[in-house]
Amino acid sequence: MMKKNVMLWVGAGQIGMAIARRMGYGMKIIVGDKKLENAVKTAEIMNQAGFDVVPLEMDLSSKESICSMLAEGQKYGPIKMLVNAAGVSPSQASIKTILQVDLYGTAVLLKEVGKVICEGGVGVTISSQSGFRMPALTTEEDELLACTPVDELLELDILQEEHIKDTLHAYQIAKRCNEKRVMAQAVEWGKRGARLNAIAPGIIVTPLALDEFKGVRGDFYKNMFKNCPAGRPGTADEIANIAELLMSDRGSFITGSTFLADGGATAAYYYGDLKN
């Protein structure tokens, strides 16, 4: 079997697909999703467009599942790219599940891929504007989120349920943790000559977002994109535009960063029409 550079793509949704289509040509792409049928359907669409995609069942909340996906990818060649677009939203999951998937799972994935990413490799993880709307944490709390060993992360006092108000708060702190883990792991990836960044989208029209529009916070989200400077939600391809910069040679001086792409919603939340 001829070796190819490998892209690991976690979360077979619209944002991940937009990025994979932009960056994955000529590569072996392993797409993992908790629902195998989602990965299979996405792989079929991609393969019919000339890509080389293998679907896999993969649970981001499980270290064993993450390592299994890595091992599968390494069968085909060196791991060159990571696209992490998996996660659950506040209307879809409990506090415990959000912390297990979005916070712990992402931390494990970034660490494990960082052990094997090849020189010149790049990774992008999809975070959220939500992390920017939560009040600042202390320097000590930020460092704990960034550097605590992954197996001890969920034991942090700040992450215990008595300190988490609701699923939205859990989601916000998970995304803040993503931002801090990207900074810390970018240092480790750099030792292998690789780069790692995050993108924090605002409201992007995807099946997950449509679930949110119909959920208990639907009016909140509709008001958010109506009253943000852009006046609309975004598209997956607009997030892929940023990923293309970060994952290409044009982004070679960018690592450890989180790029906020929310149509100005965070700006309006602090200083505009969305201010409480």
Side-chain angles (χ1 to χ4, degrees), residues 57-271:
E57 185 173 347
M58 187 272 194
D59 180 359
L60 184 59
S61 71
S62 162
K63 184 175 182 179
E64 183 182 4
S65 186
I66 289 169
C67 291
S68 177
M69 183 180 186
L70 271 170
E72 178 67 21
Q74 288 178 299
K75 292 178 184 176
Y76 298 97
I79 307 298
K80 186 72 181 282
M81 290 186 179
L82 169 68
V83 176
N84 176 31
V88 291
S89 76
S91 295
Q92 292 177 320
S94 65
I95 289 173
K96 182 178 179 181
T97 300
I98 289 168
L99 295 179
Q100 187 75 31
V101 176
D102 290 15
L103 188 146
Y104 167 79
T106 298
V108 173
L109 180 67
L110 300 184
K111 179 179 172 63
E112 294 300 321
V113 174
K115 293 177 182 177
V116 299
I117 191 80
C118 70
E119 187 169 354
V122 288
V124 162
T125 189
I126 302 301
S127 185
S128 168
Q129 64 172 354
S130 275
F132 288 81
R133 288 209 312 279
M134 190 175 73
L137 300 176
T138 66
T139 302
E140 181 187 18
E141 287 169 335
D142 278 341
E143 187 166 347
L144 286 170
L145 289 178
C147 301
T148 298
V150 288
D151 294 336
E152 300 169 22
L153 245 183
L154 293 175
E155 297 168 16
L156 288 176
D157 185 60
I158 190 178
L159 300 180
Q160 300 317 299
E161 290 213 20
E162 62 265 26
H163 300 307
I164 307 245
K165 289 180 283 191
D166 52 26
T167 57
L168 179 58
H169 185 208
Y171 187 73
Q172 289 175 335
I173 202 163
K175 297 307 178 180
R176 181 70 60 84
C177 183
N178 292 168
E179 180 185 343
K180 299 304 174 184
R181 292 313 278 204
V182 163
M183 293 178 76
Q185 282 301 307
V187 177
E188 300 305 313
W189 283 45
K191 295 171 184 175
R192 299 181 63 88
R195 297 184 295 108
L196 174 65
N197 292 291
I199 302 172
I203 307 297
I204 305 298
V205 179
T206 64
L208 184 148
L210 294 173
D211 278 352
E212 289 293 311
F213 295 163
K214 296 170 190 168
V216 293
R217 296 187 186 86
D219 290 341
F220 170 80
Y221 288 114
K222 289 173 187 174
N223 180 63
M224 183 185 294
F225 67 70
K226 180 183 176 185
N227 288 297
C228 75
R232 62 172 177 85
T235 65
D237 288 274
E238 289 176 300
I239 301 306
N241 288 340
I242 302 167
E244 184 176 18
L245 166 65
L246 296 177
M247 300 180 80
S248 71
D249 289 342
R250 287 182 295 166
S252 58
F253 198 54
I254 307 171
T255 192
S257 294
T258 296
F259 278 66
L260 180 62
D262 67 350
T266 300
Y269 176 81
Y270 283 105
Y271 308 115

Side-chain angles (χ1 to χ4, degrees), residues 6-10 28-32 54 56 69 72-73 76:
V6 175
M7 171 189 281
L8 297 177
W9 162 20
V10 185
K28 190 77 176 185
I29 303 173
I30 313 295
V31 58
V54 175
L56 197 68
M69 183 180 186
E72 178 67 21
Y76 298 97

